[in-house]
Amino acid sequence: MTATLTQTAPKPPPTRKGWITDWRPDDEAFWRSKGRKVARRNLVWSVLAEHLGFSVWTMFSIITPYLAAAGYDFTTSQLFWLTAVPNLVGAFLRIPYTAAVALFGGRNWTIISAVLLVVPTALLAYCVMTPGTPYWLFVVAGVAAGFGGGNFASSMANISYFYPERHRGAALGINAAGGNIGVSAVQFVGPLVIGLAVLGSAQGTTDSGEAFFLHNVPLLWLVLSVFAAFMAWRAMDNLSVARTPLREQAPALARKHTWIMSVLYIGTFGSFIGYSFAFPLVIKLSFPEFSALWIAALGPLVGSLARPLGGWFADRLAGAPITSLAFVLMGVGAMGAIWGINAASFPLFFVSFMLLFTMSGVANGSTYRSIPAIFQAEAAAEAGGRPSEAQVLKAKKVTAAALGWISAIGAFGGFLINQGFRIANEQTGSVVPAMWVFIGAYAVFLAINWWCYQRTVLVAKAPSLAYAKV
């Protein structure tokens, strides 16, 4: 008698609450029937959480110019450190935040990261509501504000899994721009709510004797953070396909393009976030008679809005030449800002900084959009031009890990900019020497970009190296 063995397919594990086990965005039928609606819903609430993260991360940029009037006798050097500490901590946190999405799920980590924003907002509210608060406690609040800096990396890594390749550039651009606008939101809304007498007794007075209320800023964003956590719990999803053990994320660190793009991102995103943190204080130091600090919000705003434009150009033309042009114009903007300070011309200074912000945003979009293209091109080259579904998924996981690492190193550039301003002001009483250093750095970034990508594409015609159109 012949025994017949019947093979039965293993049953899929039960679906846990908030988890999606079947996710095929590159399947057109799946995308149209179900995927697009789910992806959009997750994108909306991801943008909100990331937006608030950026606001909390840069909150000190709008608080520090008012601390002297509020009775805190901190030196200019100490004020620059208060804007630099959140930048530094947030840069380092982007690495574990990226890994957290793969370990815990995008929805779960969005909830956690939004709740964590309550810590710095509550701490800062206590600091500015308590007369005589020591400087070290402000620093602790600044360290906690770094939680907001990690949100970008986890949000981008999460959203990259929701969209098919043909829509990923636009989705990541919207996600990034929506988050970046959080900087301008806190710098524009902050001065307005500081002047509203709705939450307690006055914390200080302006030169004209008008009362202002610093604690309104952190308390407002505390409430918004709780709302974002609640909506992430209600409306977002985890993707099983995004679950990635650390051993599968580590190969991103062995890819040379991870490191090259990390260096370039120091010049692009590092410039954006560094200038965003420092701009209100730089205005106050260079033009002390100018009091409308809300105008500083326009810099991060134009930089954020320009970011999708850079991604759009990278999609249709090529990433490397767009980034090269941006570095050239950033150098021009820095020279114009120097001229404006030396000539005591605020209009020239301001317009030049708007050019700096705009081109940093364009370069952010062109570089970040090109990173997935680079890794996908390499996967295609390794597979002889026809990668399997498993190879495509592997490339996506490596890309997600690389995005977090690159964004972390890029954010560290913002800390360097703040320190450059601090040291220059301490040594010379002006930020101009720091601007000259930044111009030299843009020349270096331009040379790296041309040598590693544009020259390679022109000479070798190697699509796998094209952080150009692929």
Side-chain angles (χ1 to χ4, degrees), residues 59-75:
M59 191 171 291
F60 272 90
S61 68
I62 203 61
I63 292 293
T64 52
Y66 292 95
L67 287 179
Y72 296 97
D73 188 22
F74 299 150
T75 66

Side-chain angles (χ1 to χ4, degrees), residues 25 32 38 113 122 150 169 192 194 202 243 270 295 388:
R32 289 183 176 180
V38 173
S113 63
L192 299 181
I194 282 172
R243 295 297 296 272
I295 201 171
S388 65

Side-chain angles (χ1 to χ4, degrees), residues 119-453:
V119 177
T121 50
L123 267 175
L124 183 55
Y126 172 82
C127 286
V128 297
M129 292 175 69
T130 307
T133 301
Y135 179 73
W136 68 264
L137 194 54
F138 275 94
V139 173
V140 171
V143 170
F147 289 146
N151 284 20
F152 174 83
S154 57
S155 181
M156 294 293 276
N158 181 41
I159 292 302
S160 69
Y161 284 101
F162 275 95
Y163 282 83
E165 173 57 27
R166 64 188 181 281
H167 297 308
R168 189 173 296 122
L172 290 177
I174 292 171
N175 195 52
N180 289 173
I181 289 175
V183 181
S184 57
V186 75
Q187 291 181 349
F188 180 75
V189 176
L192 299 181
V193 300
I194 282 172
L196 297 178
V198 296
L199 292 178
S201 59
Q203 298 298 301
T205 57
T206 62
D207 293 338
S208 62
E210 179 185 358
F212 61 89
F213 303 83
L214 288 180
H215 58 282
N216 286 2
V217 178
L219 289 180
L220 173 59
W221 267 269
L222 186 155
V223 173
L224 293 174
S225 298
V226 172
F227 172 73
F230 173 75
M231 291 310 302
W233 173 73
R234 283 291 304 270
M236 291 187 70
D237 304 287
N238 299 303
L239 294 180
S240 295
V241 71
R243 295 297 296 272
T244 310
L246 289 176
R247 66 177 181 275
E248 293 184 22
Q249 300 181 51
L253 300 181
R255 303 296 182 93
K256 68 177 182 180
H257 295 295
T258 299
W259 298 100
I260 296 171
M261 296 303 288
S262 294
V263 172
L264 294 178
Y265 209 55
I266 289 175
T268 61
F269 182 77
S271 293
F272 171 81
I273 198 63
Y275 293 139
S276 295
F277 271 104
F279 196 33
L281 198 52
V282 169
I283 292 175
K284 189 173 182 63
L285 290 173
S286 303
F287 299 90
E289 72 284 355
F290 190 83
S291 59
L293 288 183
W294 62 266
I295 201 171
L298 295 180
L301 178 61
V302 299
S304 301
L305 296 178
R307 183 164 187 153
L309 184 64
W312 184 86
F313 278 120
D315 278 340
R316 285 154 182 78
L317 301 173
I322 299 301
T323 304
S324 289
L325 177 62
F327 280 135
V328 170
L329 293 178
M330 287 166 72
V332 172
M335 286 188 284
I338 292 172
W339 189 7
I341 292 174
N342 290 337
S345 172
F346 182 79
L348 176 58
F349 165 84
F350 185 76
V351 169
S352 298
F353 252 96
M354 292 304 100
L355 177 60
L356 265 173
F357 275 110
T358 300
M359 298 319 298
S360 69
V362 168
N364 283 340
S366 63
T367 53
Y368 220 73
R369 172 60 189 102
S370 299
I371 294 166
I374 290 172
F375 287 110
Q376 287 188 355
E378 284 196 323
E382 292 169 0
R386 302 179 68 87
S388 65
E389 184 175 338
Q391 289 172 314
V392 170
L393 179 58
K394 180 180 178 181
K396 287 183 179 180
K397 291 184 176 182
V398 171
T399 298
L403 288 173
W405 188 261
I406 292 167
S407 70
I409 296 179
F412 183 73
F415 172 77
L416 296 178
I417 282 181
N418 273 272
Q419 289 306 291
F421 282 136
R422 180 186 65 81
I423 294 171
N425 187 71
E426 282 183 353
Q427 299 298 319
T428 69
S430 171
V431 299
V432 167
M435 298 298 294
W436 281 115
V437 173
F438 302 154
I439 292 170
Y442 295 142
V444 173
F445 294 133
L446 175 63
I448 293 173
N449 185 54
W450 181 85
W451 180 267
C452 294
Y453 295 109

